[in-house]
Amino acid sequence: MLRIDTSAVSAAKLEALLPRTLEGHKKLQAKSGAGAEYTDWVTLPDDYDKDEYKRLLGAAERIAGQSEVLVVVGIGGSYLGSRAVIDYLLSPYYNGTAGKKTPDILFAGCNLSGDALQKLTDRIGDRDFTINIISKSGGTTEPAVAFRYFRALAEKKYGKDGARKRIIATTDKARGILKTLSDGEGYETFVIPDGVGGRYSVLTPVGLLPIAAAGIDTDALISGAYTMMEACKTAKGLENPALAYAAARGALYESGKKIEVLASFDPDFVYMGEWWKQLYGESEGKEGKGLFPASVSYTADLHSMGQYMQQGERTLFETFIRTKSPTGGITVEADPQNADGLNFLAGKSIDEINDAAYEGTKKAHTDGGVPCLTVDLGCKCAKCAGELIYFFEYACGVSGYTLGVNPFDQPGVEAYKKNMFELLGKPGA
Ligand code: PA5
């Protein structure tokens, strides 16, 4: 079970924040706070469409049977969660792994780079592919443009009927251009529930279909989220991990910290950091308020951001993520010559060296004036990943309410679109 260490924040400061975090917690449980219509993710690990989930697992198997590549087309909350889970549990090297029986998963529609789209097309080459277009609104420009492109590619390769069997849409149950288009063309569809916003949707078909297609145990993922849902519902005060995290980050924010840096020592965690940044940035950054969420991947970033972390402006705090590798890792061997002077490490696993790097970094940064929280995930498995996802979502909702904002809207995202559409001459823009 996930554990959080908030000892960098004094008990008095945590206690001072607790009443407001408890208030946020109550609002989430009662689904009564600002944006309550988007809080169905709170009960999602229990309350989801079981028949649709069975159909989803069948679709994942079918994709693996018919395609070497699954092209996931989506942006923001419509792709970050699945990418994060696949990278974290399987590795960023998953695609192209020799002998695997599940398809490569390639992500498109998350930028407007023609070059990137061309390179992705080259990467697919002449391999068979299936497309999963994901958009809750159904009309977001980036995925819509990429989908038009891949749909045409599929129709050229497989014909209209053949393409129909290779296009799956994940979208609203009734509204939006994508839903209309999919019904018109006869594509299989999966539903993004009304009450779940994009960045809270990883445990809906948005995340679950690509994750299942990659061969990850989605039952275990959901069961981990369920365990954390129960813990968040029942654990009292600071024993509730999500409330402890929300109280600690709230206290640090109020004491002048403006940036939270999520730091992991596992390179597979990089996209979890991207997912977390979207979750917290889009949920809290409004009305001139909110911690700026940043992430680093150690030890690589100790050689780039490490200097700033140690001695830069003291307006940040760090949240370390700890995971235990399931493989046990590789051990450094003794070398009779010891020409590189590394025999002091002989017999130690690389993970043990990584653990020492973590301990050393945490101490150095603490000594350098950076308050350090730690989230310990226990082991690196689908169940613990499910716990982590729910934990971060719940703490984010509570944090947003503690801050006094609506954590479930994103009014600021529209500004760039307005300008872009005007420049592109969109009718009515
Ligand atoms: O969290 C959010 O709501 C956003 O990041 C959306 O997920 C993102 O803008 C994509 O929207 P849509 O799924 O409607 O295409």
Side-chain angles (χ1 to χ4, degrees):
M1 177 79 174
L2 176 150
R3 278 176 302 129
I4 177 154
D5 174 3
T6 57
S7 53
V9 184
S10 72
K13 282 191 174 157
L14 290 174
E15 290 296 337
L17 249 288
L18 193 57
R20 271 188 286 148
T21 57
L22 278 172
E23 202 48 46
H25 169 55
K26 277 189 207 144
K27 283 181 189 161
L28 277 185
Q29 288 298 321
K31 298 190 179 175
S32 64
E37 64 278 23
Y38 291 113
T39 52
D40 282 353
W41 56 270
V42 172
T43 44
L44 192 64
D46 189 29
D47 186 10
Y48 60 95
D49 184 335
K50 313 283 184 306
D51 290 335
E52 186 187 54
Y53 177 63
K54 258 190 226 144
R55 183 163 64 82
L56 180 150
L57 294 180
E61 254 179 52
R62 222 175 42 252
I63 293 167
Q66 73 184 13
S67 292
E68 291 155 274
V69 180
L70 172 65
V71 184
V72 177
V73 183
I75 196 164
S78 288
Y79 95 104
L80 280 165
S82 61
R83 183 154 191 185
V85 171
I86 292 167
D87 271 19
Y88 176 57
L89 292 176
L90 297 177
S91 140
Y93 305 124
Y94 161 77
N95 288 335
T97 303
K100 74 175 166 52
K101 299 205 164 44
T102 46
D104 280 3
I105 314 281
L106 300 181
F107 292 90
C110 42
N111 56 61
L112 283 169
S113 161
D115 190 37
L117 193 57
Q118 183 57 57
K119 285 174 180 153
L120 197 80
T121 313
D122 296 345
R123 186 125 185 245
I124 297 170
D126 58 9
R127 291 184 292 169
D128 282 319
F129 65 93
T130 295
I131 304 164
N132 180 201
I133 166 73
I134 308 174
S135 177
K136 185 170 164 89
S137 62
T140 307
T141 309
E142 290 90 338
V145 168
F147 181 50
R148 177 184 277 213
Y149 171 79
F150 279 112
R151 191 157 53 102
L153 215 62
E155 286 177 359
K156 201 163 152 218
K157 182 166 172 145
Y158 302 108
K160 238 179 162 356
D161 276 348
R164 193 167 288 131
K165 298 191 189 89
R166 292 174 174 275
I167 297 175
I168 301 172
T170 307
T171 188
D172 189 87
K173 69 172 183 307
R175 282 182 304 251
I177 296 180
L178 179 59
K179 176 65 182 161
T180 312
L181 189 154
S182 302
D183 287 349
E185 295 289 338
Y187 303 149
E188 176 163 26
T189 56
F190 289 96
V191 173
I192 310 175
D194 282 343
V196 183
R199 57 191 176 275
Y200 294 83
S201 69
V202 54
L203 298 172
T204 73
V206 169
L208 293 177
L209 181 58
I211 292 169
I216 291 169
D217 182 351
T218 46
D219 287 353
L221 197 71
I222 295 168
S223 126
Y226 182 91
T227 304
M228 186 52 70
M229 176 185 78
E230 288 296 305
C232 288
K233 187 162 73 182
T234 53
K236 300 273 178 269
L238 295 170
E239 276 170 23
N240 184 319
L243 296 196
Y245 178 48
R249 56 198 304 285
L252 289 163
Y253 180 62
E254 292 190 359
S255 69
K257 303 299 177 193
K258 300 293 176 209
I259 301 164
E260 177 176 8
V261 181
L262 190 72
S264 166
F265 282 74
D266 179 352
D268 296 350
F269 197 83
V270 168
Y271 257 88
M272 275 289 189
E274 296 303 311
W275 170 79
W276 172 87
K277 283 193 283 196
Q278 190 219 359
L279 181 63
Y280 281 77
E282 229 170 61
S283 298
E284 290 191 311
K286 47 197 75 156
E287 299 175 34
K289 300 192 254 190
L291 280 160
F292 181 84
S295 63
V296 288
S297 180
Y298 293 152
T299 61
D301 285 337
L302 288 173
H303 299 261
S304 58
M305 296 304 289
Q307 171 59 37
Y308 193 102
M309 295 304 296
Q310 192 65 45
Q311 295 182 330
E313 209 175 331
R314 302 296 72 180
T315 48
L316 46 83
F317 70 93
E318 207 162 11
T319 300
F320 286 101
I321 297 291
R322 300 295 295 143
T323 55
K324 269 257 165 301
S325 139
T327 61
I330 290 169
T331 298
V332 179
E333 290 188 5
D335 178 348
Q337 313 303 319
N338 196 24
D340 53 12
L342 284 181
N343 269 359
F344 75 101
L345 295 175
K348 290 198 190 316
S349 75
I350 295 183
D351 285 351
E352 274 176 270
I353 304 171
N354 206 19
D355 286 345
Y358 157 69
E359 298 291 351
T361 304
K362 186 171 179 179
K363 180 169 180 343
H365 291 181
T366 303
D367 292 347
V370 178
C372 295
L373 313 176
T374 300
V375 176
D376 191 334
L377 297 186
C379 76
K380 189 175 174 182
C381 66
K383 189 165 187 298
C384 293
E387 281 184 20
L388 179 71
I389 287 167
Y390 192 92
F391 161 77
F392 272 144
E393 289 180 348
Y394 200 83
C396 186
V398 173
S399 286
Y401 285 148
T402 306
L403 195 64
V405 299
N406 175 353
F408 308 112
D409 65 0
Q410 53 283 328
V413 189
E414 295 309 310
Y416 95 92
K417 294 184 192 166
K418 190 175 169 294
N419 295 341
M420 178 177 77
F421 290 145
E422 266 169 27
L423 288 166
L424 292 169
K426 183 179 180 185

